[in-house]
Amino acid sequence: MQDVERALQSFHSIKIRNIMPPITSMPVVTSDSPILNVLKLLRTRHHVWVVEDRESMRLVGAIRYLDIVDVFLPLDAHKFKLGMTSRTMRSILGGAEKAEDVVERNVLTIDEDATVLDALTKMRRYKSQVLAVVQDDRLVGEISLRIVIDEFLRLLRVGEVKWTQHGSSSRSE
C-alpha cells in the first residue's frame, strides 16, 4: 500500500501544464464557426471549446454534448420563464447559426500552474469532468478526468507498482 500512497502523493503534486495535451489536439472552434462544424466535432467529443479567434485564443466558453439538445428542440419545447428566453435562442429554429449563439459562457477554468490535486478538488466541487486551462483569459489547454486517470496509470507503470483490486500494491515481477 505504501507504493500506491507514494504514487498518489507524487501524482497530486504534478502541475497541470505537465500533463495537459497540446492545444492542437483539442476540440476548438471560433465564435463565428457554423453550428454544423460544432456538431461534426461533437460526434466524437464530449465538448468543444469556443475561442474569440485563433490568434488571441481568448476563451469565450464551451459547448457540451448535452447542450446540443436545445439546438434541436422546437421553440415550443422550451419552457418559458421570465428572463429565460435565451435558451430558445439556442435553437436552430430560434435563430442560432454560429458557435457564439449556443456557447455556455460560464465555464470552469484553472491555471496551468495548478496541481492535479487542485484540478480534482475543483472537478468534485463543481461536478465537472473537464476544466479549461487558461492564462490571462487565453485558452492554453484542458484537463479532464480521462487525462488524470491516464497520468495516474502511467505513474503506476513507471514506478513498477501493481495495484490490485483490494487496493494493496506490490512490486511487479
Side-chain angles (χ1 to χ4, degrees), residues 3-15:
D3 291 335
V4 173
E5 288 174 16
R6 268 199 310 274
L8 273 173
Q9 287 173 349
S10 296
F11 173 65
H12 287 157
S13 64
I14 294 171
K15 298 287 185 183

Side-chain angles (χ1 to χ4, degrees), residues 6-95:
R6 268 199 310 274
L8 273 173
Q9 287 173 349
S10 296
F11 173 65
H12 287 157
S13 64
I14 294 171
K15 298 287 185 183
I16 298 300
R17 83 167 84 78
N18 295 329
I19 62 170
M20 65 184 189
I23 195 135
T24 54
S25 70
M26 293 172 35
V28 178
V29 298
T30 58
S31 293
D32 60 353
S33 295
I35 286 181
L36 289 179
N37 291 0
V38 173
L39 293 175
K40 288 175 186 176
L41 283 170
L42 287 173
R43 287 187 302 183
T44 60
R45 303 302 284 254
H46 290 278
H47 65 281
V48 174
W49 300 111
V50 180
V51 295
E52 199 170 89
D53 56 68
R54 296 270 179 188
E55 288 101 40
S56 74
M57 292 299 283
R58 191 181 81 65
L59 180 64
V60 174
I63 302 170
R64 290 179 180 81
Y65 190 69
L66 286 176
D67 294 338
I68 296 303
V69 171
D70 287 331
V71 170
F72 293 132
L73 285 174
L75 294 178
D76 61 357
H78 295 273
K79 293 185 179 181
F80 290 98
K81 293 181 183 174
L82 190 57
M84 294 294 287
T85 56
S86 64
R87 277 283 195 230
T88 63
M89 297 310 290
R90 290 185 176 196
S91 170
I92 291 174
L93 296 174

Side-chain angles (χ1 to χ4, degrees), residues 61-133:
I63 302 170
R64 290 179 180 81
Y65 190 69
L66 286 176
D67 294 338
I68 296 303
V69 171
D70 287 331
V71 170
F72 293 132
L73 285 174
L75 294 178
D76 61 357
H78 295 273
K79 293 185 179 181
F80 290 98
K81 293 181 183 174
L82 190 57
M84 294 294 287
T85 56
S86 64
R87 277 283 195 230
T88 63
M89 297 310 290
R90 290 185 176 196
S91 170
I92 291 174
L93 296 174
E97 297 177 356
K98 298 179 179 177
E100 66 189 349
D101 299 329
V102 297
V103 68
E104 174 58 51
R105 294 177 187 277
N106 298 318
V107 295
L108 294 172
T109 63
I110 196 162
D111 187 86
E112 66 183 340
D113 289 325
T115 64
V116 166
L117 182 59
D118 297 330
L120 287 170
T121 302
K122 196 168 206 176
M123 287 176 185
R124 186 178 86 194
R125 182 181 310 134
Y126 295 103
K127 296 179 178 17
S128 178
Q129 297 176 13
V130 65
L131 304 171
V133 180

